[in-house]
Amino acid sequence: MTIRCAVLGLGRLGHHHAKNLATHQIGGAQLVSVVDPMEGRAEQFAKEFDIEHWTKNPDEVFEDPRIDAVIIVTPTSTHADMIKRAAKNGKAIFVEKPLTQSLEEADEIIQTIKQYNVICQVGFMRRFDPAYAEAKRRIEAGDIGKPIYFKGITRDAGSPPAEFIKHSGRVFLDVSIHDYDIARYLMGAEITSVSAHGRVLLHPFMEEFRDVDQAITYVHFDSGAAGDIEASRNSPYGHDIRTEIIGTEGSLFIGTLRNQNVTLLNSKGSTYEIIPDFQTRFSDAYRLELMHFIECVRNKQTPKVTEIDGKVNLKIAIAATESFDSGKTVHIKGECLEKSY
Ligand SMILES: NC(=O)c1ccc[n+]([C@@H]2O[C@H](COP(=O)([O-])OP(=O)(O)OC[C@H]3O[C@@H](n4cnc5c(N)ncnc54)[C@H](O)[C@@H]3O)[C@@H](O)[C@H]2O)c1
């Protein structure tokens, strides 16, 4: 059975997902529609990749019974409405992170998905990245003993435009949430408290949105472990993603700055090309997560990363934002934490 898909939002990441589908990188799926309200964006994509339908209006896709699944890559502030409309029309849903921006909306989403009995996967793609998957395997095999400290660095080569920042939910929700998710996954433990700090270093326009371009979250886990998570939009040298897990019997690193495994030696020294952006660093992960989604739709299975993880990660990000705003450590109550790894 071929799963007929529509991609909503053709911006920085939506274009990447849509191209993966349109160029048949995702077995068992066919891209039949693309949606974007921006003048010419969907039309141009449909012409370039020979897609049968394009529109500026998401309702056309939600109401089309020939479409089985939607890939939602629109601004974060639109996710809740999009997910609920898709679920009510019986579509399988892949939605980019974060699930949404408030816990009330997350609860409504969870309830709607349950009510209409549809599949929902959230785009925490690091879990599908071959290096993170290998790290998980090594940790579970006991190669570093018991994990006791998590260190995460996520540095973007620059800031997205003001219009994106305005709808992003601020840095802890937009950037650090990737590390909160992978920290829970790799440490095999839940985050119980956060203490968050940050500052605007290079992008003064962010002050209008109460956002910062350099942030740190110090976290405690229910296993007794601790960690720190840096998020930055100030990395002029490239896209820098590094993770370290310290265990009782060793340590494990994930990530390299090298784009290709080529080192140039000349009279200026020894150099290599640095990974330029997230699309390059996570190109395998973006493909593998969509393959997993399509397999789950075809086999009517629950995806590895669902709306439940979406809510837990959201809860941590909201607590971190609260901690940043108040200057206090925020404890995350246990009743809502649900193990999903
Ligand atoms: N997983 C990741 O690594 C990752 C990376 C980047 C972005 N994201 C997430 O993906 C989402 C999109 O981010 P982006 O960087 O691609 O944003 P973007 O601003 O580059 O693109 C958003 C696109 O959505 C379109 N759009 C706006 N409203 C729409 C609507 N109602 N219906 C259809 N299209 C609409 C815009 O015209 C634009 O083309 C965000 O939620 C973001 O958090 C995830």
Side-chain angles (χ1 to χ4, degrees):
M1 181 180 62
T2 300
I3 305 301
R4 292 170 57 92
C5 301
V7 172
L8 293 92
L10 294 172
R12 292 185 310 162
L13 185 55
H15 188 278
H16 190 90
H17 283 319
K19 195 172 165 191
N20 268 341
L21 285 158
T23 54
H24 311 292
Q25 305 294 310
I26 315 297
Q30 187 190 358
L31 182 61
V32 292
S33 181
V34 283
V35 187
D36 201 299
M38 192 178 281
E39 194 56 46
R41 202 166 247 192
E43 183 180 8
Q44 198 184 335
F45 186 96
K47 272 193 188 142
E48 187 180 344
F49 292 97
D50 198 18
I51 306 302
E52 65 185 60
H53 178 259
W54 65 268
T55 175
K56 292 180 177 180
N57 178 8
D59 283 333
E60 279 185 38
V61 158
F62 295 135
E63 289 163 13
D64 185 342
R66 292 167 307 167
I67 289 174
D68 307 306
V70 291
I71 322 296
I72 299 171
V73 205
T74 53
T76 296
S77 54
T78 67
H79 289 185
D81 183 48
M82 295 274 178
I83 296 168
K84 285 186 279 178
R85 280 154 71 196
K88 284 175 187 166
N89 285 283
K91 310 295 182 208
I93 299 160
F94 177 94
V95 61
E96 260 312 324
K97 50 53 64 178
L99 180 67
T100 186
Q101 292 183 323
S102 79
L103 291 174
E104 294 73 27
E105 285 170 350
D107 285 335
E108 275 177 36
I109 288 170
I110 289 170
Q111 207 241 317
T112 311
I113 283 170
K114 200 171 174 187
Q115 184 181 348
Y116 292 92
N117 194 24
V118 292
I119 283 173
C120 180
Q121 181 175 330
V122 185
F124 289 106
M125 77 297 180
R126 287 190 194 181
R127 295 193 190 202
F128 297 88
D129 177 76
Y132 283 100
E134 172 66 3
K136 174 78 173 164
R137 197 184 68 69
R138 292 294 193 127
I139 293 167
E140 284 186 339
D143 290 357
I144 60 164
K146 181 176 157 39
I148 53 172
Y149 200 82
F150 177 91
K151 194 164 188 69
I153 294 174
T154 298
R155 295 185 192 150
D156 261 343
S159 173
E163 185 58 21
F164 178 92
I165 296 292
K166 185 176 169 187
H167 296 282
S168 70
R170 303 162 75 187
V171 70
F172 302 102
L173 186 63
D174 187 52
V175 181
S176 300
I177 200 160
H178 278 299
D179 284 282
Y180 303 147
D181 181 68
I182 207 69
R184 296 172 50 235
Y185 185 62
L186 293 179
M187 300 296 281
E190 292 294 353
I191 292 174
T192 52
S193 77
V194 288
S195 177
H197 305 270
R199 202 165 208 194
V200 173
L201 300 182
L202 283 181
H203 302 89
F205 78 86
M206 289 190 181
E207 277 158 19
E208 186 188 341
F209 309 111
R210 294 166 57 228
D211 208 351
V212 291
D213 56 16
Q214 188 74 40
I216 188 119
T217 316
Y218 177 74
V219 302
H220 280 175
F221 296 87
D222 60 2
S223 59
D228 68 82
I229 289 165
E230 176 192 328
S232 167
R233 311 263 198 199
N234 305 322
S235 167
Y237 52 87
H239 190 64
D240 186 358
I241 308 285
R242 284 176 276 163
T243 306
E244 182 180 7
I245 316 280
I246 300 172
T248 49
E249 290 166 37
S251 162
L252 183 150
F253 290 80
I254 303 138
T256 164
L257 288 173
R258 268 173 211 270
N259 194 20
Q260 308 288 349
N261 197 11
V262 173
T263 306
L264 176 68
L265 304 177
N266 60 20
S267 59
K268 292 182 189 138
S270 160
T271 54
Y272 57 83
E273 192 184 299
I274 291 177
I275 293 170
D277 49 36
F278 60 82
Q279 295 92 335
T280 307
R281 168 63 185 86
F282 290 109
S283 116
D284 284 342
Y286 291 134
R287 191 171 38 78
L288 291 168
E289 69 174 350
L290 276 190
M291 285 169 67
H292 174 70
F293 172 64
I294 295 299
E295 276 310 297
C296 288
V297 179
R298 284 165 63 119
N299 300 324
K300 299 191 179 9
Q301 285 168 347
T302 305
K304 281 188 201 163
V305 203
T306 66
E307 67 282 4
I308 304 297
D309 291 289
K311 180 180 169 185
V312 176
N313 295 331
L314 174 66
K315 194 166 186 179
I316 300 163
I318 288 173
T321 308
E322 208 182 305
S323 168
F324 169 72
D325 286 340
S326 67
K328 293 181 179 157
T329 297
V330 174
H331 296 273
I332 299 167
K333 289 202 183 70
E335 79 265 20
C336 174
L337 302 177
E338 293 172 55
K339 300 240 183 261
S340 47
Y341 40 80

